[in-house]
Amino acid sequence: MPVKDVRLAVLIDADNISATYIKPMMLEIARYGNPTIKRIYGDWTKPQLGPWKQVLLDNAISPVQQFGYTSGKNATDSSLIIDAMDILYTESVDGFCLVSSDSDFTRLATRLREAGKIVYGIGEKKTPTPFVAACDRFIFLEILTKEKRSKDSDVSSEKAPGKAADQDLKNASGKTPKDIDEATCELIASSVSDLADEDGWAFLGDVGNLVNKKSPSFDARNYGFSKMSKLMQSLDFLECEYRVNEKNPQVKLIYVRNKEDN
């Protein structure tokens, strides 16, 4: 389904997310679908939510007022969860964007996925692992404010002439991944092996999808790369090659292989 046809419900926990993230966050959400429902939950009588009030109109986000009934209890979470279930059964949406760093939404994410909806989690790096794992994909807000945005969201191919593409492939190895750990390297290597053909080659697009299924928070931007393809080309344990797309010769498809399997 084309991204523009994917209907998303964006539900934001204002008590848990800073308004400074709004612009990069909405740009990121647009990569995955059309945010047809946009709601933000909080007690708007509280002065700390003031910064949010300035950006709601500009982004057509509907505020939902929720007073705190009891000290120490978060009524906002309950209101968001109830709305999410109402939307699940009454609205035509294909997926949800749950914007929060609160683990209280772990069960909600699991339930929405059980109903066949795709769930994107968006929050800060402090987000507890259970909530991250409960989503189909989890995007860290800190990355969105630091990494350069790319207009092309297709990580499986590069539109470039053959010679230029080959040169890009050589140049990519000149950049070193930032703080990439051994566990992540093993995750990528095992995913390549899982999808490899008899010669050990796997299509990069399929590898990227499998890595995200295994680790919802995986993002090339965590390691200083704008795209999965560029990260893969920089890893010394992988070898990459461009292949001509028979259906569209102008598009070069990228395949990867573990060097130890060669």
Side-chain angles (χ1 to χ4, degrees):
M1 182 184 297
V3 170
K4 65 179 181 179
D5 295 331
V6 177
R7 293 164 52 89
L8 298 175
V10 180
L11 308 180
I12 306 170
D13 177 8
D15 293 331
N16 206 258
I17 295 294
S18 170
T20 58
Y21 292 121
I22 184 65
K23 185 174 181 179
M25 182 182 75
M26 297 310 297
L27 288 173
E28 181 72 12
I29 291 172
R31 296 180 62 193
Y32 307 109
N34 182 17
T36 56
I37 297 175
K38 293 180 286 185
R39 300 176 187 173
I40 184 167
Y41 301 79
D43 183 351
W44 301 102
T45 63
K46 294 182 177 180
Q48 57 263 41
L49 296 186
W52 272 113
K53 298 177 184 179
Q54 306 301 318
V55 299
L56 296 187
L57 287 178
D58 292 340
N59 293 274
I61 301 174
S62 301
V64 178
Q65 169 63 30
Q66 180 59 61
F67 292 104
Y69 299 120
T70 305
S71 177
K73 300 294 183 179
N74 195 340
T76 298
D77 290 1
S78 299
S79 180
L80 190 155
I81 292 170
I82 290 171
D83 266 13
M85 297 309 296
D86 284 343
I87 293 170
L88 174 65
Y89 290 112
T90 62
E91 303 287 346
S92 177
V93 296
D94 304 295
F96 289 79
C97 292
L98 303 180
V99 185
S100 179
S101 303
D102 193 338
S103 62
D104 288 349
F105 297 109
T106 301
R107 178 57 186 140
L108 173 62
T110 302
R111 178 65 184 86
L112 295 174
R113 292 182 68 188
E114 288 174 351
K117 303 299 182 182
I118 188 168
V119 177
Y120 297 104
I122 302 178
E124 297 177 333
K125 289 185 177 181
K126 66 181 181 180
T127 305
T129 300
F131 182 32
V132 174
C135 300
D136 288 286
R137 181 164 187 174
F138 199 94
I139 301 102
F140 292 124
L141 287 164
E142 292 90 342
I143 296 173
L144 303 184
T145 59
K146 294 179 180 179
E147 297 297 329
K148 183 179 180 180
R149 299 288 310 147
S150 171
K151 293 182 180 180
D152 181 6
S153 62
D154 183 358
V155 299
S156 63
S157 62
E158 295 286 341
K159 293 186 177 180
K163 292 184 179 179
D166 291 340
Q167 187 62 40
D168 288 343
L169 188 59
K170 294 178 182 178
N171 293 341
S173 61
K175 187 173 181 180
T176 304
K178 179 183 178 182
D179 301 327
I180 188 166
D181 55 279
E182 184 177 350
T184 300
C185 291
E186 292 178 355
L187 170 66
I188 294 173
S190 65
S191 297
V192 172
S193 296
D194 291 343
L195 297 168
D197 59 19
E198 293 181 355
D199 296 320
W201 292 103
F203 178 47
L204 178 60
D206 293 337
V207 174
N209 289 334
L210 182 56
V211 168
N212 276 128
K213 286 181 180 179
K214 292 180 177 180
S215 178
S217 65
F218 179 88
D219 195 316
R221 292 169 294 186
N222 285 329
Y223 309 104
F225 292 84
S226 60
K227 296 181 181 180
M228 179 75 158
S229 58
K230 295 180 179 180
L231 171 61
M232 291 291 197
Q233 293 163 19
S234 72
L235 298 174
D236 57 10
F237 62 86
L238 291 179
E239 55 181 313
C240 307
E241 72 173 21
Y242 282 102
R243 298 181 185 179
V244 175
N245 185 343
E246 296 180 357
K247 295 182 179 179
N248 186 353
Q250 297 298 317
V251 176
K252 300 293 182 178
L253 304 179
I254 303 176
Y255 283 74
V256 294
R257 177 170 66 177
N258 289 313
K259 289 182 178 179
E260 63 179 21
D261 295 337
N262 184 12

